[in-house]
Amino acid sequence: MPRALSFPLTPWVAIRGRQPWLPVLPILPRGNTGALMAVSMIRLRKLPGVNRPAIACLWPSRNPGGFNLMLDVGADIKAEADDLLQYAIMGASYARNGLNLTRPRIGLLNVGTEEHKGRAELKEAHDRMAGAAAVGGFDYVGFVEGGDLPSDRVDVIVTDGFTGNIALKTGEGTAKLISDFLRQAFNAGLLSKFAALLAMNSLKRLQKRIDPRRQNGGVFLGLNGTVVKSHGSADATGVAAAISLAHRLAQSGFQARLAARLAEVARAGQDMPDSTAKDGTTE
């Protein structure tokens, strides 16, 4: 069983040695994400074929399970078409093991759902995801917009780390703003306080649903080991959520399944004929 780690931890101390009793690498309650990713890549190394690891996080949604998955949310501000395809494969594997979705629906975040919109790498990734869906074990729904992040149209949202990190922090700030507005409204007067008392159970359910602390914990995907990074401002509730997530992933055998899926997709890509062969210019 995994042993507990004491807090606070520096990235290097937490990852030292890769002890055999530690199938899940550290939860870092407060610290620099870039530093933790750099040390994780040095000590754990990337999975074969992975160019850029990604950070995945849960996003409250209208789906029956209550959450969507989004990646990358800050591991790397850039992502080429190959990287976005790998994010889709890793995100689908995480959704199968972490969210118990047999065939996750993948969407690629863009400024619109029309195929002619977006940067060149997004258009290329769009075509490649559609072609890799069968071997990757997911359904590709195409481009999605910001309004689809909490929707039931998609299970996994793929984007670059720059866009994903802004979206994540915007969502966290919006959730806090709504909570503050509700608190102000129900403290406006005696009748408002009485109304709050009558609605207490409903308000607690809403707070639990949108509380970003309860979805705390970004998972580093694409490494030879599982690293769960807690939000820098997380309190005890947030750290506990990150520990729980790490435990679930360790028990599920997620890391081995992810590596196997990436290898399978890589083999399938090597077996596909290239464009010149399709045109009949090679034998």
Side-chain angles (χ1 to χ4, degrees), residues 8-63:
L9 296 173
T10 64
W12 186 261
V13 169
I15 297 178
R16 67 186 186 281
R18 293 185 61 189
Q19 290 92 335
W21 45 260
L22 192 60
V24 175
L25 271 289
I27 300 158
L28 188 67
R30 292 175 178 84
N32 184 281
T33 301
L36 179 60
M37 175 59 80
V39 173
S40 299
M41 290 175 62
I42 292 172
R43 299 296 291 177
L44 298 179
R45 304 296 181 181
K46 294 179 290 186
L47 287 172
V50 172
N51 182 35
R52 289 187 172 100
I55 303 176
C57 74
L58 296 177
W59 191 287
S61 78
R62 298 184 181 90
N63 275 319

Side-chain angles (χ1 to χ4, degrees), residues 236-250:
T237 299
V239 173
I243 293 173
S244 176
L245 173 61
H247 180 264
R248 291 199 307 271
L249 292 176

